[in-house]
Amino acid sequence: MPVFNPSILAVVKLSVERAALDRALVLLQELAERSRSARGCSRFEVLQEAADPTQLVTVERWDGEASADAHMRSPHVTVTLARLTPLLRAAPRFARYRSVER
């Protein structure tokens, strides 16, 4: 199936230790703020599951793979992931999606 839109939707699922939830939310909100001004980013949201507040998701829209890759290599992402990892129950789950709509 052809890809019509080169943009990337990046989704990261995070399971946070309950005692660390407030700290994780602060880190993710800071990451979102910085990332929204990054070249190629048109969306960066931090979402919290209604039924289980320890389950978080980031939803990011990038104009292409190169922008998404540059974001993942940026110092603010590296530092945030290093600070966030000890607060998690499991490793973050990263996935990228492409639109197949015209």
Side-chain angles (χ1 to χ4, degrees), residues 25-100:
L25 288 171
V26 167
L27 289 170
L28 289 169
Q29 289 166 357
E30 290 171 355
L31 176 65
E33 272 185 40
R34 294 206 52 194
S35 298
R36 286 183 192 116
S37 64
R39 184 176 190 175
C41 181
S42 60
R43 175 183 179 192
F44 198 114
E45 291 181 70
V46 179
L47 307 173
Q48 188 173 40
E49 186 177 314
D52 181 356
T54 66
Q55 302 304 303
L56 306 174
V57 176
T58 66
V59 179
E60 311 162 30
R61 172 74 67 186
W62 297 93
D63 64 6
E65 291 280 350
S67 295
D69 290 343
H71 168 71
M72 290 304 296
R73 290 189 306 269
S74 69
H76 73 274
V77 171
T78 303
V79 169
T80 300
L81 286 174
R83 291 178 178 159
L84 191 59
T85 298
L87 309 179
L88 303 178
R89 292 182 188 153
R93 292 174 293 168
F94 297 86
R96 289 185 181 181
Y97 301 88
R98 288 188 183 95
S99 177
V100 293

Side-chain angles (χ1 to χ4, degrees), residues 2-25:
V3 174
F4 299 103
N5 182 340
S7 70
I8 297 295
L9 187 71
V11 177
V12 181
K13 295 180 180 180
L14 305 148
S15 181
V16 180
E17 294 288 349
R18 188 166 301 279
L21 183 58
D22 289 342
R23 179 67 183 135
L25 288 171

